[in-house]
mmCIF file with all atom_site columns, all heavy atoms in Angstrom:
data_model
loop_
_atom_site.group_PDB
_atom_site.id
_atom_site.type_symbol
_atom_site.label_atom_id
_atom_site.label_alt_id
_atom_site.label_comp_id
_atom_site.label_asym_id
_atom_site.label_entity_id
_atom_site.label_seq_id
_atom_site.pdbx_PDB_ins_code
_atom_site.Cartn_x
_atom_site.Cartn_y
_atom_site.Cartn_z
_atom_site.occupancy
_atom_site.B_iso_or_equiv
_atom_site.pdbx_formal_charge
_atom_site.auth_seq_id
_atom_site.auth_comp_id
_atom_site.auth_asym_id
_atom_site.auth_atom_id
_atom_site.pdbx_PDB_model_num
ATOM 1   N N   . GLN A 1 424 ? 2.832  24.123 -7.264  1.00 0.00 ? 424 GLN A N   1
ATOM 2   C CA  . GLN A 1 424 ? 1.612  23.705 -7.953  1.00 0.00 ? 424 GLN A CA  1
ATOM 3   C C   . GLN A 1 424 ? 1.885  22.494 -8.835  1.00 0.00 ? 424 GLN A C   1
ATOM 4   O O   . GLN A 1 424 ? 1.077  21.562 -8.923  1.00 0.00 ? 424 GLN A O   1
ATOM 5   C CB  . GLN A 1 424 ? 1.054  24.857 -8.792  1.00 0.00 ? 424 GLN A CB  1
ATOM 6   C CG  . GLN A 1 424 ? -0.314 24.573 -9.398  1.00 0.00 ? 424 GLN A CG  1
ATOM 7   C CD  . GLN A 1 424 ? -1.358 24.305 -8.328  1.00 0.00 ? 424 GLN A CD  1
ATOM 8   O OE1 . GLN A 1 424 ? -1.570 25.116 -7.425  1.00 0.00 ? 424 GLN A OE1 1
ATOM 9   N NE2 . GLN A 1 424 ? -2.026 23.155 -8.427  1.00 0.00 ? 424 GLN A NE2 1
ATOM 10  N N   . GLY A 1 425 ? 3.070  22.486 -9.488  1.00 0.00 ? 425 GLY A N   1
ATOM 11  C CA  . GLY A 1 425 ? 3.439  21.331 -10.297 1.00 0.00 ? 425 GLY A CA  1
ATOM 12  C C   . GLY A 1 425 ? 3.617  20.079 -9.451  1.00 0.00 ? 425 GLY A C   1
ATOM 13  O O   . GLY A 1 425 ? 3.267  18.976 -9.884  1.00 0.00 ? 425 GLY A O   1
ATOM 14  N N   . LEU A 1 426 ? 4.142  20.228 -8.219  1.00 0.00 ? 426 LEU A N   1
ATOM 15  C CA  . LEU A 1 426 ? 4.311  19.084 -7.331  1.00 0.00 ? 426 LEU A CA  1
ATOM 16  C C   . LEU A 1 426 ? 2.957  18.509 -6.923  1.00 0.00 ? 426 LEU A C   1
ATOM 17  O O   . LEU A 1 426 ? 2.770  17.286 -6.872  1.00 0.00 ? 426 LEU A O   1
ATOM 18  C CB  . LEU A 1 426 ? 5.105  19.513 -6.091  1.00 0.00 ? 426 LEU A CB  1
ATOM 19  C CG  . LEU A 1 426 ? 5.460  18.415 -5.089  1.00 0.00 ? 426 LEU A CG  1
ATOM 20  C CD1 . LEU A 1 426 ? 6.263  17.309 -5.749  1.00 0.00 ? 426 LEU A CD1 1
ATOM 21  C CD2 . LEU A 1 426 ? 6.220  19.010 -3.908  1.00 0.00 ? 426 LEU A CD2 1
ATOM 22  N N   . VAL A 1 427 ? 1.983  19.385 -6.661  1.00 0.00 ? 427 VAL A N   1
ATOM 23  C CA  . VAL A 1 427 ? 0.637  18.913 -6.330  1.00 0.00 ? 427 VAL A CA  1
ATOM 24  C C   . VAL A 1 427 ? 0.028  18.172 -7.514  1.00 0.00 ? 427 VAL A C   1
ATOM 25  O O   . VAL A 1 427 ? -0.585 17.110 -7.361  1.00 0.00 ? 427 VAL A O   1
ATOM 26  C CB  . VAL A 1 427 ? -0.266 20.090 -5.901  1.00 0.00 ? 427 VAL A CB  1
ATOM 27  C CG1 . VAL A 1 427 ? -1.706 19.619 -5.690  1.00 0.00 ? 427 VAL A CG1 1
ATOM 28  C CG2 . VAL A 1 427 ? 0.261  20.738 -4.628  1.00 0.00 ? 427 VAL A CG2 1
ATOM 29  N N   . ASP A 1 428 ? 0.205  18.722 -8.721  1.00 0.00 ? 428 ASP A N   1
ATOM 30  C CA  . ASP A 1 428 ? -0.340 18.067 -9.910  1.00 0.00 ? 428 ASP A CA  1
ATOM 31  C C   . ASP A 1 428 ? 0.306  16.704 -10.141 1.00 0.00 ? 428 ASP A C   1
ATOM 32  O O   . ASP A 1 428 ? -0.363 15.740 -10.531 1.00 0.00 ? 428 ASP A O   1
ATOM 33  C CB  . ASP A 1 428 ? -0.140 18.961 -11.135 1.00 0.00 ? 428 ASP A CB  1
ATOM 34  C CG  . ASP A 1 428 ? -0.943 20.254 -11.055 1.00 0.00 ? 428 ASP A CG  1
ATOM 35  O OD1 . ASP A 1 428 ? -1.933 20.277 -10.281 1.00 0.00 ? 428 ASP A OD1 1
ATOM 36  O OD2 . ASP A 1 428 ? -0.572 21.228 -11.726 1.00 0.00 ? 428 ASP A OD2 1
ATOM 37  N N   . ASP A 1 429 ? 1.618  16.615 -9.930  1.00 0.00 ? 429 ASP A N   1
ATOM 38  C CA  . ASP A 1 429 ? 2.306  15.337 -10.112 1.00 0.00 ? 429 ASP A CA  1
ATOM 39  C C   . ASP A 1 429 ? 1.843  14.321 -9.076  1.00 0.00 ? 429 ASP A C   1
ATOM 40  O O   . ASP A 1 429 ? 1.728  13.132 -9.376  1.00 0.00 ? 429 ASP A O   1
ATOM 41  C CB  . ASP A 1 429 ? 3.821  15.522 -10.002 1.00 0.00 ? 429 ASP A CB  1
ATOM 42  C CG  . ASP A 1 429 ? 4.381  16.310 -11.172 1.00 0.00 ? 429 ASP A CG  1
ATOM 43  O OD1 . ASP A 1 429 ? 3.754  16.294 -12.240 1.00 0.00 ? 429 ASP A OD1 1
ATOM 44  O OD2 . ASP A 1 429 ? 5.438  16.951 -11.013 1.00 0.00 ? 429 ASP A OD2 1
ATOM 45  N N   . LEU A 1 430 ? 1.587  14.796 -7.870  1.00 0.00 ? 430 LEU A N   1
ATOM 46  C CA  . LEU A 1 430 ? 1.112  13.898 -6.813  1.00 0.00 ? 430 LEU A CA  1
ATOM 47  C C   . LEU A 1 430 ? -0.262 13.345 -7.167  1.00 0.00 ? 430 LEU A C   1
ATOM 48  O O   . LEU A 1 430 ? -0.573 12.186 -6.855  1.00 0.00 ? 430 LEU A O   1
ATOM 49  C CB  . LEU A 1 430 ? 1.071  14.647 -5.477  1.00 0.00 ? 430 LEU A CB  1
ATOM 50  C CG  . LEU A 1 430 ? 1.031  13.803 -4.207  1.00 0.00 ? 430 LEU A CG  1
ATOM 51  C CD1 . LEU A 1 430 ? 2.268  12.921 -4.102  1.00 0.00 ? 430 LEU A CD1 1
ATOM 52  C CD2 . LEU A 1 430 ? 0.906  14.687 -2.978  1.00 0.00 ? 430 LEU A CD2 1
ATOM 53  N N   . ARG A 1 431 ? -1.087 14.146 -7.821  1.00 0.00 ? 431 ARG A N   1
ATOM 54  C CA  . ARG A 1 431 ? -2.407 13.662 -8.242  1.00 0.00 ? 431 ARG A CA  1
ATOM 55  C C   . ARG A 1 431 ? -2.288 12.484 -9.212  1.00 0.00 ? 431 ARG A C   1
ATOM 56  O O   . ARG A 1 431 ? -3.156 11.615 -9.252  1.00 0.00 ? 431 ARG A O   1
ATOM 57  C CB  . ARG A 1 431 ? -3.205 14.779 -8.923  1.00 0.00 ? 431 ARG A CB  1
ATOM 58  C CG  . ARG A 1 431 ? -3.638 15.937 -8.036  1.00 0.00 ? 431 ARG A CG  1
ATOM 59  C CD  . ARG A 1 431 ? -4.443 16.934 -8.848  1.00 0.00 ? 431 ARG A CD  1
ATOM 60  N NE  . ARG A 1 431 ? -4.654 18.176 -8.147  1.00 0.00 ? 431 ARG A NE  1
ATOM 61  C CZ  . ARG A 1 431 ? -5.676 18.429 -7.336  1.00 0.00 ? 431 ARG A CZ  1
ATOM 62  N NH1 . ARG A 1 431 ? -6.567 17.485 -7.122  1.00 0.00 ? 431 ARG A NH1 1
ATOM 63  N NH2 . ARG A 1 431 ? -5.803 19.600 -6.747  1.00 0.00 ? 431 ARG A NH2 1
ATOM 64  N N   . ARG A 1 432 ? -1.221 12.456 -10.009 1.00 0.00 ? 432 ARG A N   1
ATOM 65  C CA  . ARG A 1 432 ? -1.062 11.417 -11.018 1.00 0.00 ? 432 ARG A CA  1
ATOM 66  C C   . ARG A 1 432 ? -0.418 10.142 -10.473 1.00 0.00 ? 432 ARG A C   1
ATOM 67  O O   . ARG A 1 432 ? -0.268 9.173  -11.211 1.00 0.00 ? 432 ARG A O   1
ATOM 68  C CB  . ARG A 1 432 ? -0.236 11.953 -12.191 1.00 0.00 ? 432 ARG A CB  1
ATOM 69  C CG  . ARG A 1 432 ? -0.982 12.968 -13.044 1.00 0.00 ? 432 ARG A CG  1
ATOM 70  C CD  . ARG A 1 432 ? -0.198 13.267 -14.322 1.00 0.00 ? 432 ARG A CD  1
ATOM 71  N NE  . ARG A 1 432 ? 0.933  14.126 -14.065 1.00 0.00 ? 432 ARG A NE  1
ATOM 72  C CZ  . ARG A 1 432 ? 0.912  15.456 -14.178 1.00 0.00 ? 432 ARG A CZ  1
ATOM 73  N NH1 . ARG A 1 432 ? -0.215 16.064 -14.522 1.00 0.00 ? 432 ARG A NH1 1
ATOM 74  N NH2 . ARG A 1 432 ? 1.987  16.164 -13.949 1.00 0.00 ? 432 ARG A NH2 1
ATOM 75  N N   . CYS A 1 433 ? -0.019 10.141 -9.220  1.00 0.00 ? 433 CYS A N   1
ATOM 76  C CA  . CYS A 1 433 ? 0.580  8.949  -8.628  1.00 0.00 ? 433 CYS A CA  1
ATOM 77  C C   . CYS A 1 433 ? -0.493 7.908  -8.317  1.00 0.00 ? 433 CYS A C   1
ATOM 78  O O   . CYS A 1 433 ? -1.672 8.237  -8.137  1.00 0.00 ? 433 CYS A O   1
ATOM 79  C CB  . CYS A 1 433 ? 1.334  9.305  -7.343  1.00 0.00 ? 433 CYS A CB  1
ATOM 80  S SG  . CYS A 1 433 ? 2.849  10.240 -7.602  1.00 0.00 ? 433 CYS A SG  1
ATOM 81  N N   . GLU A 1 434 ? -0.080 6.648  -8.248  1.00 0.00 ? 434 GLU A N   1
ATOM 82  C CA  . GLU A 1 434 ? -1.012 5.572  -7.938  1.00 0.00 ? 434 GLU A CA  1
ATOM 83  C C   . GLU A 1 434 ? -1.388 5.559  -6.458  1.00 0.00 ? 434 GLU A C   1
ATOM 84  O O   . GLU A 1 434 ? -2.523 5.273  -6.099  1.00 0.00 ? 434 GLU A O   1
ATOM 85  C CB  . GLU A 1 434 ? -0.395 4.224  -8.320  1.00 0.00 ? 434 GLU A CB  1
ATOM 86  C CG  . GLU A 1 434 ? -0.202 4.041  -9.814  1.00 0.00 ? 434 GLU A CG  1
ATOM 87  C CD  . GLU A 1 434 ? 0.441  2.704  -10.137 1.00 0.00 ? 434 GLU A CD  1
ATOM 88  O OE1 . GLU A 1 434 ? 0.862  2.010  -9.188  1.00 0.00 ? 434 GLU A OE1 1
ATOM 89  O OE2 . GLU A 1 434 ? 0.516  2.348  -11.316 1.00 0.00 ? 434 GLU A OE2 1
ATOM 90  N N   . MET A 1 435 ? -0.420 5.848  -5.591  1.00 0.00 ? 435 MET A N   1
ATOM 91  C CA  . MET A 1 435 ? -0.658 5.843  -4.151  1.00 0.00 ? 435 MET A CA  1
ATOM 92  C C   . MET A 1 435 ? -0.073 7.132  -3.572  1.00 0.00 ? 435 MET A C   1
ATOM 93  O O   . MET A 1 435 ? 0.994  7.132  -2.962  1.00 0.00 ? 435 MET A O   1
ATOM 94  C CB  . MET A 1 435 ? 0.000  4.619  -3.515  1.00 0.00 ? 435 MET A CB  1
ATOM 95  C CG  . MET A 1 435 ? -0.325 4.423  -2.050  1.00 0.00 ? 435 MET A CG  1
ATOM 96  S SD  . MET A 1 435 ? -2.045 4.057  -1.746  1.00 0.00 ? 435 MET A SD  1
ATOM 97  C CE  . MET A 1 435 ? -2.145 2.416  -2.493  1.00 0.00 ? 435 MET A CE  1
ATOM 98  N N   . PRO A 1 436 ? -0.768 8.276  -3.764  1.00 0.00 ? 436 PRO A N   1
ATOM 99  C CA  . PRO A 1 436 ? -0.145 9.573  -3.462  1.00 0.00 ? 436 PRO A CA  1
ATOM 100 C C   . PRO A 1 436 ? -0.198 9.998  -2.005  1.00 0.00 ? 436 PRO A C   1
ATOM 101 O O   . PRO A 1 436 ? 0.399  11.017 -1.650  1.00 0.00 ? 436 PRO A O   1
ATOM 102 C CB  . PRO A 1 436 ? -0.969 10.537 -4.321  1.00 0.00 ? 436 PRO A CB  1
ATOM 103 C CG  . PRO A 1 436 ? -2.331 9.909  -4.357  1.00 0.00 ? 436 PRO A CG  1
ATOM 104 C CD  . PRO A 1 436 ? -2.104 8.413  -4.346  1.00 0.00 ? 436 PRO A CD  1
ATOM 105 N N   . TYR A 1 437 ? -0.889 9.269  -1.141  1.00 0.00 ? 437 TYR A N   1
ATOM 106 C CA  . TYR A 1 437 ? -1.154 9.777  0.198   1.00 0.00 ? 437 TYR A CA  1
ATOM 107 C C   . TYR A 1 437 ? -0.104 9.382  1.225   1.00 0.00 ? 437 TYR A C   1
ATOM 108 O O   . TYR A 1 437 ? -0.207 9.764  2.379   1.00 0.00 ? 437 TYR A O   1
ATOM 109 C CB  . TYR A 1 437 ? -2.545 9.327  0.651   1.00 0.00 ? 437 TYR A CB  1
ATOM 110 C CG  . TYR A 1 437 ? -3.614 9.838  -0.279  1.00 0.00 ? 437 TYR A CG  1
ATOM 111 C CD1 . TYR A 1 437 ? -4.217 9.009  -1.211  1.00 0.00 ? 437 TYR A CD1 1
ATOM 112 C CD2 . TYR A 1 437 ? -3.983 11.176 -0.261  1.00 0.00 ? 437 TYR A CD2 1
ATOM 113 C CE1 . TYR A 1 437 ? -5.172 9.479  -2.093  1.00 0.00 ? 437 TYR A CE1 1
ATOM 114 C CE2 . TYR A 1 437 ? -4.933 11.666 -1.133  1.00 0.00 ? 437 TYR A CE2 1
ATOM 115 C CZ  . TYR A 1 437 ? -5.525 10.811 -2.047  1.00 0.00 ? 437 TYR A CZ  1
ATOM 116 O OH  . TYR A 1 437 ? -6.462 11.294 -2.921  1.00 0.00 ? 437 TYR A OH  1
ATOM 117 N N   . THR A 1 438 ? 0.899  8.596  0.820   1.00 0.00 ? 438 THR A N   1
ATOM 118 C CA  . THR A 1 438 ? 2.006  8.262  1.707   1.00 0.00 ? 438 THR A CA  1
ATOM 119 C C   . THR A 1 438 ? 3.299  8.281  0.900   1.00 0.00 ? 438 THR A C   1
ATOM 120 O O   . THR A 1 438 ? 3.291  8.051  -0.307  1.00 0.00 ? 438 THR A O   1
ATOM 121 C CB  . THR A 1 438 ? 1.845  6.869  2.352   1.00 0.00 ? 438 THR A CB  1
ATOM 122 O OG1 . THR A 1 438 ? 1.791  5.877  1.318   1.00 0.00 ? 438 THR A OG1 1
ATOM 123 C CG2 . THR A 1 438 ? 0.587  6.801  3.200   1.00 0.00 ? 438 THR A CG2 1
ATOM 124 N N   . CYS A 1 439 ? 4.418  8.541  1.589   1.00 0.00 ? 439 CYS A N   1
ATOM 125 C CA  . CYS A 1 439 ? 5.719  8.426  0.950   1.00 0.00 ? 439 CYS A CA  1
ATOM 126 C C   . CYS A 1 439 ? 6.094  6.951  0.892   1.00 0.00 ? 439 CYS A C   1
ATOM 127 O O   . CYS A 1 439 ? 5.395  6.098  1.457   1.00 0.00 ? 439 CYS A O   1
ATOM 128 C CB  . CYS A 1 439 ? 6.753  9.243  1.726   1.00 0.00 ? 439 CYS A CB  1
ATOM 129 S SG  . CYS A 1 439 ? 7.319  8.456  3.252   1.00 0.00 ? 439 CYS A SG  1
#
Side-chain angles (χ1 to χ4, degrees):
Q424 188 60 55
L426 184 58
V427 174
D428 294 339
D429 291 335
L430 199 61
R431 292 181 192 271
R432 289 190 284 266
C433 289
E434 293 179 352
M435 187 66 68
Y437 300 103
T438 60
C439 77

